[in-house]
Structures are given as C-alpha cells and as structure tokens.
Amino acid sequence: MTRSFRTAAVVGAGTIGLSWTALFAAHGLTVRVSDPRGDLAEAVAEALEQYAPHLAARGLDVTGLADRVHIAADVTDAVRDADVVQENGPERADFKKDLFAALAREAPAHALLLSSSSAIPATAFTGGLADEDAARVLIGHPFNPPHLLPLVEVVPGERTAEDAVQAAVDFYTSVGPTPVVERKEIPGFVGNRLQNALSREAVHLVEQGVVSPEDLDKVVTHSLGLRWATVGPFLGAHLGGGPGGYRHLVEHIGPSMRQLTGAGLGTPSLNEDRQERLVEAVEKAYGSSTYPELTGARDRRQLAVLAALDSADKEEN
C-alpha cells in the first residue's frame, strides 16, 4: 500500500537541509525544522525567499510557502508527527549513531528515517538499533542544491526493509527528484565516487601545471558537462562508437584509451605546500566574486539546463 506523506521533519539546517525544506514545503508538505544554530529562524526565512523563484521556475506554486514551515524547539519537537525525517547532520558516524537512536525513539513508528549522508552507509550507524527501527533507516543522498538537482541516491542498509526502500522511492518521486536505488553499500555511493575520481585527476592536472583551475572548469563545462547533462558515460560511449556502438568503441579506441592507465592517471600528492598553492590558484580564479554571486550564477544556469531538458522531453513525447 502506498504511504501518505503529509509532514516532514528536516533535522539539520545547513545548505542541504534548507534546500530540502524549501522543496518539501513547495510540494505542500508541512515541514518542521530543527537545528541548534542560533539564527535558525532567520536562515530558514532567507532560504525560502531565495529559493522561491527557483521553485516557481520549476512550475511549483510557492504561494504561502513560509506558512508550511515551522521552527521546532528541538529534535523531539521536529519529529513528533513526522511521516518522513530527512537528516542532514555532520558527516560523522558516531554523531549519526546517537542521532538516529534519538530519531528512532522519538519519531512515530511509521516514519521513514532518511539520511543525506554524502559518504557514510546506513549500516555504519544503525548497528545499535532494534531490527524494527533499522528496517526504516536508509540513505537518501541528494546533490547540492536538492531543490534544483534531481538525483537522490537511495541506499538501503543491511537491515533496511524492502517496503521502506519503495516508500523512499515513492516519497522522493512525489516531491520531484529522480531516485536511483543502489543495491550495494559502498562508501561515497555512486555519484560522489564518480565525482571524486574526476576531482582527483583535475587536481593532478592543475598541480602539474598542465592547466589552470578556471581553464579546467571550461574544459568540463564546454564538453563533458554538456554531454553528461543529456547522456551518461555509457550511453555517451555507445553513441561515440557510431553505428557500431559500444562494441566498436571498445575494439577500436579502447586500446589507446587503456594506455592512459599505463601513463598514470593522477594521484595528487597534496602535501601542505602544494595544497596551499592549489587553494590560492582557485581563490585567484574565483575569489573576486562573492558566494551569493557564484551560487546565483550557478543556479540560473542549472535552471536554464533543466528548462531546456524539460522542453526537449516534451517534444519527444
């Protein structure tokens, strides 16, 4: 039976938690937010004001958005009536172990307990939970900012129940994202492992003086980024093989590409001096702009890409 989601608790109101808050409220949920930060009410109000135009651009009705969001006195207050809890706390297994013990104790027995963890699998912090509580805990890892980027990695733990996995898929689908279920726990999951592999090589290329940080970003945004916004690595490679597809690519280009492995893809050393030089190079490239300026430009471009993809999908259908 499909579950009904009317009330969401957002535990942890950093960048990710605030973005989740706006998205959930824009889809009509009552949202209760908890965080020990002293400026919680101000941060929530500012985020809702900032994100409302983004959500409206995605076709959502943001009328009365703030009326659906409530500041909770503490975690217990936040989760007391929740149908779903989205945790966004520090990336530490010991912290999450204590927090999820509290969530399991205080939230209603039917509530899904989801973590935005970027790298720590659910099994790493649910060992002390009773089976019936561990059964409703799983990872729901978004990409920043989740109110715009569609992907959510749904990763069950060793004791997560299958009906909780399906409920998580149903929940995320109901509030807009595209959930992908990953059937094996691995640190970093899929998205961040891919991102980390590219980042390692990017750092290596800059560290070796092959390219500057800003020009490396141009290489990605003017080639791989555009390609991967429409097709993933495997479909891109399949199409790269022409009519012969992936098989042709592997047979004819594979040998030369394998030479890259022998040539040594980068493993940046990043000792203290080199790391400082890298940080200074990135600051030189982008430090003249403020964080709001940079995120504003990013969000406008992401909205434009999403709008173009929506238009293309409508034409195809």
Side-chain angles (χ1 to χ4, degrees), residues 1-5 112 154 163-177 179 181:
M1 183 175 65
T2 302
R3 299 194 194 185
S4 176
F5 300 99
L112 272 179
V154 174
D163 68 325
V165 177
Q166 185 57 54
V169 169
D170 292 343
F171 169 66
Y172 287 124
T173 301
S174 74
V175 294
V181 178

Side-chain angles (χ1 to χ4, degrees), residues 65-253:
L65 188 67
D67 296 337
R68 294 190 286 277
V69 178
H70 307 275
I71 305 302
D74 51 28
V75 169
T76 298
D77 184 35
V79 306
R80 56 185 167 82
D81 297 318
D83 299 308
V84 60
V85 178
Q86 186 79 44
E87 175 268 334
N88 316 279
E91 195 74 2
R92 299 201 319 268
D94 57 343
F95 179 91
K96 293 184 185 298
K97 180 179 179 180
D98 292 341
L99 178 55
F100 272 84
L103 296 179
R105 183 175 63 250
E106 302 296 342
H110 72 276
L112 272 179
L113 305 179
L114 305 169
S115 174
S116 297
S117 172
S118 297
I120 304 172
T123 300
F125 54 84
T126 55
L129 297 182
D131 286 344
E132 61 269 24
D133 290 324
R136 56 190 177 125
V137 177
L138 63 164
I139 301 299
H141 171 240
F143 276 72
N144 185 27
H147 74 280
L148 289 184
L149 293 187
L151 178 69
V152 178
E153 296 177 286
V154 174
V155 190
E158 292 178 359
R159 292 190 291 159
T160 304
E162 188 58 34
D163 68 325
V165 177
Q166 185 57 54
V169 169
D170 292 343
F171 169 66
Y172 287 124
T173 301
S174 74
V175 294
T178 300
V180 172
V181 178
E182 298 168 12
R183 289 298 180 179
K184 184 176 181 179
E185 288 185 300
I186 187 168
F189 318 120
V190 174
N192 274 340
R193 291 179 74 90
L194 292 172
Q195 182 170 247
N196 185 259
L198 179 61
S199 295
R200 286 201 314 271
E201 185 63 19
V203 170
H204 174 73
L205 292 169
V206 171
E207 184 182 79
Q208 295 300 310
V210 176
V211 67
S212 67
E214 60 266 44
D215 281 342
L216 187 137
D217 283 350
K218 289 177 184 176
V219 169
V220 174
T221 57
H222 289 71
S223 62
L224 299 176
L226 289 174
R227 176 185 293 169
W228 289 341
T230 56
V231 296
F234 283 111
L235 178 53
H238 184 60
L239 297 176
Y246 192 61
R247 183 179 300 279
H248 178 81
L249 185 80
V250 169
E251 291 174 352
H252 291 271
I253 302 178

